[in-house]
Amino acid sequence: MEDVAERAVLRAIEAMHERLGDELTIDDLARAAMFSKFHFTRIFQRLTGVSPGRFLSALRLQKAKHLLVSTSMNVAAISVQVGYNSVGTFSSRFSRSVGMSPTAYRRRAGYAAAIHAAADNASRRSNARLSCRLRLPEPDEAVIFVGMFAHRIPEGRPVRCAVLEEPGRVTFDSVPLGTWYLLAQSISLDGAGTGAWTDIADRPVSVAAYGPFTVRADSAIAADLELRPTRDLDPPLLLALLDVRKYAMERMGEAQDATQPGYEHIAAVA
């Protein structure tokens, strides 16, 4: 029965890909899945972690990311192709979800120089702590980004985040109150800094998710995440990927500095 449900959801996702510029309704997607509308919505949410409409919106922005770095189409044309009637609405949603404007995303070839946590809201501060262990199924030369987000899709600025140079444990103190998702993605370092890179947004990465979980004033939360290759059922990654070329070169520079007297490296965790 689970296989039947998964195939149905995958049919709907395929329809989304084929008709990103159209005004797709839940009825259209349920027909593609060959399920009733109400049953389809339930199984889609269960298998992907988000609603069909939210998944479709994320796919549209993911396609826009690809078009920005792989074509010379202007932003207005891209917005129409991915289903937006207003370029202003498209630009604001893109900026909020990806972390930079469409123009900046194109200029930076789809990468963020750094990913920073959002400023704390004083009313949400707490003594809560979250400890997370991150694992990769196989050894890999990769950096791992992990962040706390308000939604299942990693978009916008996380409330806490860190970059690990290898699998291991990270701890976030004074975690804000509320309900959150812990989302991780690994980005390969193979070839970083060698000049062999091809700038392609949304290249394959490994991912993991934990949540939703609720943080109260004195919560002590422990999470264990094993990253795995992305699947078609995984919601698209909207946050601009960390530029690991820049990160690797900075780390190489730090390694050289470490040979100098008085050097001390402090890992950055936001």
Side-chain angles (χ1 to χ4, degrees):
M1 192 65 182
E2 190 70 10
D3 288 344
V4 172
E6 185 170 313
R7 287 196 297 270
V9 170
L10 288 172
R11 285 194 297 270
I13 292 173
E14 182 179 1
M16 293 179 187
H17 280 286
E18 292 173 351
R19 301 177 58 189
L20 282 179
D22 297 345
E23 291 187 11
L24 282 172
T25 66
I26 293 296
D27 289 316
D28 295 328
L29 296 172
R31 278 193 293 271
M34 294 186 287
F35 274 7
S36 72
K37 178 171 65 175
F38 301 106
H39 185 46
F40 165 70
T41 301
R42 285 195 301 271
I43 66 166
F44 195 100
Q45 179 88 37
R46 176 169 58 83
L47 290 176
T48 68
V50 297
S51 69
R54 189 68 194 86
F55 199 102
L56 174 59
S57 177
L59 279 182
R60 286 173 167 155
L61 292 177
Q62 182 188 50
K63 179 65 174 180
K65 289 168 65 179
H66 174 72
L67 292 173
L68 283 165
V69 298
S70 64
T71 74
S72 58
M73 294 172 62
N74 63 42
V75 172
I78 289 173
S79 69
V80 171
Q81 183 155 331
V82 298
Y84 284 85
N85 295 323
S86 164
V87 66
T89 300
F90 164 73
S91 295
S92 63
R93 289 186 181 173
F94 187 99
S95 300
R96 184 171 65 249
S97 296
V98 178
M100 63 182 79
S101 70
T103 302
Y105 188 83
R106 168 172 276 167
R107 186 174 62 249
R108 296 194 55 84
Y111 298 105
I115 301 174
H116 300 292
D120 278 346
N121 182 328
S123 65
R124 285 188 166 187
R125 291 175 187 163
S126 72
N127 295 319
R129 170 176 290 193
L130 184 148
S131 177
C132 174
R133 182 187 175 204
L134 295 150
R135 294 180 289 135
L136 291 170
E138 297 179 0
D140 186 19
E141 288 293 322
V143 294
I144 301 173
F145 167 80
V146 59
M148 285 177 58
F149 294 86
H151 304 288
R152 173 62 181 81
I153 295 177
E155 59 181 341
R157 296 180 68 178
V159 295
R160 290 289 183 274
C161 65
V163 175
L164 286 72
E165 297 170 29
E166 59 185 18
R169 188 174 296 278
V170 63
T171 298
F172 298 134
D173 294 316
S174 302
V175 177
L177 304 178
T179 299
W180 310 102
Y181 290 84
L182 191 65
L183 305 172
Q185 62 189 57
S186 70
I187 310 166
S188 177
L189 274 169
D190 290 342
T194 66
W197 279 84
T198 300
D199 289 323
I200 303 175
D202 297 317
R203 64 193 185 282
V205 295
S206 293
V207 296
Y210 174 80
F213 59 91
T214 299
V215 176
R216 297 180 173 84
D218 296 306
S219 295
I221 299 168
D224 196 352
L225 278 70
E226 180 168 332
L227 286 86
R228 52 162 178 76
T230 55
R231 306 170 301 168
D232 290 337
L233 290 171
D234 290 318
L237 301 166
L238 295 185
L239 188 67
L241 295 177
L242 180 69
D243 188 341
V244 294
R245 300 159 306 170
K246 178 179 173 61
Y247 181 84
M249 287 189 289
E250 287 177 349
R251 295 296 293 115
M252 289 168 61
E254 288 179 358
Q256 293 175 350
D257 290 341
T259 63
Q260 304 301 316
Y263 173 82
E264 181 181 1
H265 172 64
I266 301 175
V269 177

